[in-house]
Amino acid sequence: MNRKRTGMGFSEHAGAKFCVERIILDELKLEEVAQRQTEIHRPSIKQKICDSIRCSVGQWKIWIVTWIPVLSWIPRYSVQENGLGDLVSGVSVGIMHLPQGMAYALLASVPPVFGLYTSFYPVLVYFIFGTSKHVSIGTFAVISIMIGSVSERLAPEDHFLTNGTNGSFVMDTEARDVQRVKVAAATTLLCGIFQVLLGLVRFGFVVTYLSEPLVRGYTTGAATHVIISQLKYMLGVSPRRFTGPLQLLYTLVELGSLLPQTHIPTLVISLVALTALVIVKEINSCCRHKLLLPVPIELMLIIAGTLVSHYTDLKAVNGVDVVGKIPSGLVPPRVPEVGFFSSVVGDAFAVAVVGYAISISLGKTFALKYGYKVDSNQELLALGFSNVIGGFFQCYSVTSSLSRSLVQESTGGKTQVAGVISAVIVLITVLKLGSLFEELPTAVLSTIVFVNLKGMFMQCQDIPALWKSNSVDLLVWLVTFLCTVLLNLDLGLAASIIFTLLTVIFRTQRPSYSLLGRVPDTELYLETESYKEAKAIPGITIFRSSAMLHYANVELYQEALLEKSGINVPELKKRKEEEKEKKRQQKEKDKQTGVLRVLANRLLVSMKNVSESVHRQRTDHEHIINDNGIATVSHGNMNRGFQPEQDSEEEERDNTETHSSSCDNVEEHTHSIILDFTPVSFIDTVTLKTLKNIFQNFAEVDVTVYIAGSQVCVVQQLERGGFFSESVSKGRLFPSIHDAVLHCLCLRDLSCSEFALEMPRVTRF
């Protein structure tokens, strides 16, 4: 049998067995054997600051490469390996940017050309600061609708109505669009500032509080808002705008009342475009392995819609709404109006968190697939810089797009060079081709948005999957979706996060408590309720909680321990006090009885002496001389005396039998409790006090409590909290449950018992 030496034991590869022989270790012996370091040197805050601002050449190089990741990989970029894939991918994504940028601009309530700006500037910024190789930064439906809700709230159409002829009102759309662009730019700038600040303080972990069910439920709810917002463009009606909770329901009721006023030409255009999009996208999905590139149906539809609208003059003849004037060229940068900051601060923070959550989750998915690392804090900075710089160029907030990222990855894109190429495609369109799309019907853009949200609504398939796997996550998904739909996007996000945190608190408040038993012929201790072969050890209770201990659940922990162990500490303490009182009373009674016995003995001795004296006098006159000799008559009843020594011996024998019976009764009950502290990662002051009470209360009923599996940080916190004393030493702590069990058995002198013979061999010293 081939064995390989591993540490203190042997490992057998063929049978997967191991054998370890060592002494029983408690915390004191463990510190001696493992040589625990009492003082671990950690750099102070001052030293960290000095190290961070140290101006050596190497430090500056590391700092620059860390903050500007493009400098770390662009010098090693291989045109031969990556050039062709990035070129094809960039062109494909650039073609997708054009229709999506213009369509999602409608969601943001800004003119379509600003969607093209948003598809250009932030992409270049992310190329410099981003760490993901495959995500496509730009417009996204959920973020667009969040920006649009802010724009419409601060710049409603009612504020731009002017008096027309015959007492009618005319909408000043140019002034409205200018104001909404200012609101969107200010929100985007503040959103970027939030993301940069969070990135600087290394706050990338904030996204961990947005669980996957929450994000998917939220994006599905936001997609519902998007769908409802696009119905007015597809039907050609003008419903009133509602704000606040339940605005979606009010909007649906309003749209239902306006159905008789549906603009038929606009509806026909929407249905034709919708049918073409659905059919071609299904073909792309079914034949994706056979097609070199997916059919760019969105771009083809935009071109076809523009040509039909131009040659049939749909706007003038049929009254169909079109995109309108698209200025050629790029706009110069300008400072957004900071006066809007106080009105959009909550919305900007919500956009910052949601945008980052979507981007980092998508980026980590591709990083895991292709084996590279995405820095969460650097991604936060990259998104922040994209939004800050984009705000100065009148863009609105950006994040990663799932559809464009999948196209960028599937068409061979390997680096963010593909993003730069897609930005060049957008730039050419803005500079030279933008004016060609002025006759495009807005209904076509709305149908593009409508169909592209299919992936969002496919997330509803999570519901049956979560129903089978995790009911709490299902509840989070449903509550998030309903809150988002009913309470609007900002309030819905806040309510969803609060509810998710409450589920975490509830689950830590109500963990599962279990008793552990030993699996025969192993050192494994498992739940006796879940494993049939896990047998409880007589006299030893091993208790485990599935959650860590803190001030909010430690009282529940103590109550569960009393319930699971079956030891009624207050009742036993009361019974023990009663027994002490009985013993004290019996002792006093015995003391009084003893005094009376002494006096009685003395009286009997005196009476005996008198009796013997009288007897001797009588004997002298009662001698009878006969033929057979001398006969003596004795009074036997006078020889009998009190025998206190015999009575004392019988009483002592009775007391001994009673004490022996009491000891046998104690042996039958729990004498040791082992607390499994494996899940515990910290100890607060309330938990520390409760642990002291647990040790003290059980000690009063002759039950010893031990702790097993505690981490070194927990031991340090126990030391600093003054937990250890003469009565509770570090000898009560053990590195494993098995060490604690063997220690208890050795103390009870059970090493030679039938149970101990089944235990692994133990070296005692």
Side-chain angles (χ1 to χ4, degrees):
M1 185 179 297
N2 296 327
R3 291 189 176 184
K4 181 180 179 181
R5 182 81 177 184
T6 57
M8 299 175 64
F10 294 93
S11 174
E12 181 178 349
H13 297 286
K17 299 179 180 179
F18 71 92
C19 177
V20 177
E21 182 175 348
R22 61 172 174 82
I23 62 174
I24 301 174
L25 294 175
D26 57 19
E27 184 63 29
L28 293 173
K29 297 172 187 173
L30 179 65
E31 292 178 359
E32 179 181 353
V33 172
Q35 298 184 2
R36 173 188 163 191
Q37 300 180 12
T38 56
E39 295 183 2
I40 301 176
H41 177 70
R42 291 185 175 89
S44 61
I45 297 178
K46 180 180 179 181
Q47 185 176 355
K48 290 181 179 179
I49 296 175
C50 293
D51 292 340
S52 63
I53 62 176
R54 187 175 296 167
C55 297
S56 63
V57 176
Q59 187 70 23
W60 271 106
K61 183 178 179 180
I62 295 175
W63 188 85
I64 293 174
V65 170
T66 301
W67 285 77
I68 310 177
V70 67
L71 298 179
S72 64
W73 61 269
I74 200 65
R76 303 192 305 270
Y77 182 80
S78 175
V79 178
Q80 183 177 1
E81 294 181 3
N82 305 324
L84 180 60
D86 286 341
L87 177 62
V88 175
S89 176
V91 173
S92 302
V93 174
I95 292 173
M96 291 185 66
H97 265 302
L98 299 178
Q100 289 188 2
M102 291 189 290
Y104 292 158
L106 296 180
L107 297 179
S109 300
V110 295
V113 68
F114 291 94
L116 297 179
Y117 296 155
T118 305
S119 302
F120 174 68
Y121 292 107
V123 174
L124 298 179
V125 177
Y126 185 84
F127 167 78
I128 298 173
F129 296 101
T131 59
S132 176
K133 300 178 182 180
H134 295 90
V135 298
S136 175
I137 295 295
T139 58
F140 188 64
V142 174
I143 301 300
S144 300
I145 192 64
M146 295 178 74
I147 294 295
S149 65
V150 182
S151 302
E152 292 182 1
R153 187 182 76 242
L154 297 182
E157 294 181 347
D158 298 343
H159 293 180
F160 302 96
L161 295 176
T162 58
N163 294 326
T165 59
N166 300 326
S168 61
F169 295 95
V170 178
M171 176 71 63
D172 189 353
T173 56
E174 185 176 352
R176 180 201 64 185
D177 292 342
V178 169
Q179 188 69 5
R180 288 181 175 179
V181 168
K182 291 180 180 179
V183 174
T187 306
T188 301
L189 175 61
L190 187 57
C191 168
I193 292 174
F194 279 134
Q195 290 173 331
V196 170
L197 292 177
L198 292 175
L200 290 175
V201 298
R202 319 299 292 175
F203 211 65
F205 70 90
V206 69
V207 75
T208 58
Y209 291 98
L210 301 178
S211 64
E212 183 179 358
L214 185 147
V215 173
R216 293 174 73 87
Y218 181 80
T219 52
T220 306
T224 306
H225 280 270
V226 173
I227 291 294
I228 302 302
S229 67
Q230 295 306 295
L231 289 178
K232 62 180 181 180
Y233 298 108
M234 298 176 67
L235 299 176
V237 296
S238 300
R240 292 177 295 171
R241 182 185 177 275
F242 300 93
T243 59
L246 303 180
Q247 70 168 20
L248 202 64
L249 299 181
Y250 296 144
T251 304
L252 279 175
V253 173
E254 180 75 6
L255 287 171
S257 64
L258 294 176
L259 283 179
Q261 304 176 20
T262 301
H263 192 250
I264 301 302
T266 302
L267 179 61
V268 171
I269 293 173
S270 301
L271 293 177
V272 172
L274 187 65
T275 303
L277 280 169
V278 170
I279 293 175
V280 177
K281 280 188 171 291
E282 287 299 321
I283 294 175
N284 284 338
S285 178
C286 296
C287 304
R288 61 181 180 274
H289 299 296
K290 300 179 180 180
L291 297 175
L292 180 62
L293 295 175
V295 178
I297 182 59
E298 291 95 342
L299 183 61
M300 294 170 60
L301 196 60
I302 286 177
I303 295 173
T306 303
L307 293 175
V308 171
S309 176
H310 176 73
Y311 287 106
T312 59
D313 200 6
L314 290 177
K315 180 176 177 57
V317 176
N318 301 104
V320 176
D321 290 333
V322 296
V323 169
K325 184 179 180 181
I326 298 179
S328 299
L330 300 174
V331 296
R334 64 179 65 178
V335 179
E337 295 189 10
V338 296
F340 289 114
F341 280 4
S342 60
S343 302
V344 301
V345 58
D347 302 278
F349 186 78
V351 172
V353 173
V354 174
Y356 173 64
I358 295 171
S359 180
I360 193 64
S361 60
L362 194 58
K364 287 189 173 182
T365 300
F366 286 117
L368 182 63
K369 182 177 180 179
Y370 290 96
Y372 62 91
K373 182 180 178 182
V374 171
D375 189 340
S376 58
N377 289 300
Q378 184 61 33
E379 285 294 296
L380 195 53
L381 288 172
L383 273 182
F385 288 137
S386 298
N387 285 323
V388 167
I389 297 175
F392 284 96
F393 288 94
Q394 301 181 25
C395 303
Y396 59 89
S397 296
V398 296
T399 188
S400 302
S401 169
L402 176 60
S403 60
R404 292 196 307 272
S405 298
L406 290 175
V407 170
Q408 181 168 324
E409 181 254 348
S410 62
T411 53
K414 297 181 179 179
T415 67
Q416 279 300 326
V417 171
V420 175
I421 295 173
S422 69
V424 172
I425 301 296
V426 175
L427 177 62
I428 295 173
T429 303
V430 171
L431 294 178
K432 301 296 182 181
L433 306 177
S435 58
L436 299 179
F437 299 108
E438 292 180 354
E439 299 296 326
L440 175 66
T442 55
V444 174
L445 297 178
S446 296
T447 54
I448 292 174
V449 173
F450 200 98
V451 175
N452 282 335
L453 291 175
K454 174 189 174 184
M456 293 291 180
F457 287 103
M458 291 298 290
Q459 295 177 149
C460 293
Q461 295 177 351
D462 295 345
I463 295 177
L466 292 175
W467 175 269
K468 298 178 181 178
S469 61
N470 194 309
S471 59
V472 176
D473 284 344
L474 172 62
L475 191 61
V476 170
W477 198 103
L478 293 176
V479 170
T480 302
F481 175 78
L482 293 176
C483 289
T484 306
V485 169
L486 300 178
L487 301 180
N488 211 348
L489 297 175
D490 48 358
L491 293 178
L493 178 63
S496 303
I497 293 175
I498 293 174
F499 179 78
T500 305
L501 294 179
L502 287 177
T503 60
V504 175
I505 294 173
F506 178 79
R507 280 187 280 188
T508 57
Q509 277 286 90
R510 297 291 180 182
S512 61
Y513 301 103
S514 56
L515 296 180
L516 306 184
R518 175 177 169 267
V519 179
D521 300 327
T522 70
E523 80 291 350
L524 302 178
Y525 294 85
L526 305 175
E527 294 84 353
T528 55
E529 296 179 356
S530 302
Y531 297 89
K532 293 182 180 180
E533 292 299 322
K535 305 298 182 182
I537 303 174
I540 301 177
T541 298
I542 307 173
F543 182 73
R544 172 187 289 171
S545 170
S546 62
M548 61 182 181
L549 291 180
H550 51 80
Y551 68 94
N553 66 358
V554 69
E555 290 295 333
L556 298 175
Y557 181 87
Q558 185 177 12
E559 294 174 1
L561 174 60
L562 294 175
E563 179 183 354
K564 290 285 186 179
S565 63
I567 301 176
N568 193 338
V569 174
E571 181 66 24
L572 291 178
K573 289 172 66 176
K574 182 180 179 181
R575 189 182 304 172
K576 192 173 183 179
E577 292 294 331
E578 292 176 353
E579 291 178 357
K580 286 184 179 179
E581 182 64 22
K582 289 181 180 180
K583 289 182 179 180
R584 187 185 62 81
Q585 294 177 358
Q586 184 65 31
K587 188 175 181 181
E588 292 180 355
K589 184 178 179 180
D590 292 344
K591 185 177 181 181
Q592 295 175 358
T593 305
V595 172
L596 293 176
R597 287 177 178 175
V598 171
L599 293 176
N601 286 337
R602 289 179 179 177
L603 179 61
L604 291 174
V605 169
S606 300
M607 293 176 63
K608 184 177 180 181
N609 292 335
V610 173
S611 175
E612 289 178 352
S613 176
V614 174
H615 177 69
R616 282 195 300 269
Q617 292 178 1
R618 289 180 180 178
T619 305
D620 293 339
H621 300 283
E622 291 180 0
H623 284 166
I624 301 174
I625 303 174
N626 53 24
D627 297 338
N628 296 326
I630 300 174
T632 302
V633 179
S634 61
H635 303 277
N637 59 339
M638 298 300 295
N639 291 333
R640 289 183 301 173
F642 189 77
Q643 299 177 353
E645 292 80 2
Q646 183 178 356
D647 294 342
S648 298
E649 290 176 359
E650 292 178 356
E651 182 179 353
E652 183 177 355
R653 185 169 57 254
D654 293 340
N655 290 337
T656 303
E657 292 176 357
T658 303
H659 178 71
S660 176
S661 177
S662 176
C663 289
D664 292 340
N665 192 38
V666 171
E667 288 291 333
E668 294 175 358
H669 292 79
T670 301
H671 55 75
S672 301
I673 292 178
I674 300 173
L675 305 179
D676 184 8
F677 263 38
T678 305
V680 180
S681 58
F682 68 91
I683 295 289
D684 54 41
T685 55
V686 177
T687 305
L688 188 66
K689 292 179 181 179
T690 305
L691 282 177
K692 288 182 179 179
N693 293 335
I694 290 175
F695 273 71
Q696 181 179 356
N697 292 337
F698 280 105
E700 292 178 356
V701 295
D702 299 327
V703 177
T704 308
V705 182
Y706 301 93
I707 294 177
S710 56
Q711 305 176 40
V712 65
C713 59
V714 175
V715 178
Q716 293 173 346
Q717 292 168 358
L718 292 175
E719 291 173 344
R720 290 194 297 266
F723 177 76
F724 300 109
S725 60
E726 294 182 359
S727 59
V728 181
S729 65
K730 284 187 178 180
R732 298 281 191 93
L733 271 63
F734 293 88
S736 69
I737 299 176
H738 198 54
D739 286 285
V741 169
L742 295 178
H743 173 78
C744 296
L745 295 178
C746 291
L747 286 183
R748 305 299 293 184
D749 198 18
L750 297 178
S751 58
C752 296
S753 66
E754 182 180 355
F755 176 79
L757 290 176
E758 299 177 358
M759 303 290 286
R761 184 171 53 181
V762 179
T763 302
R764 299 176 57 185
F765 77 121

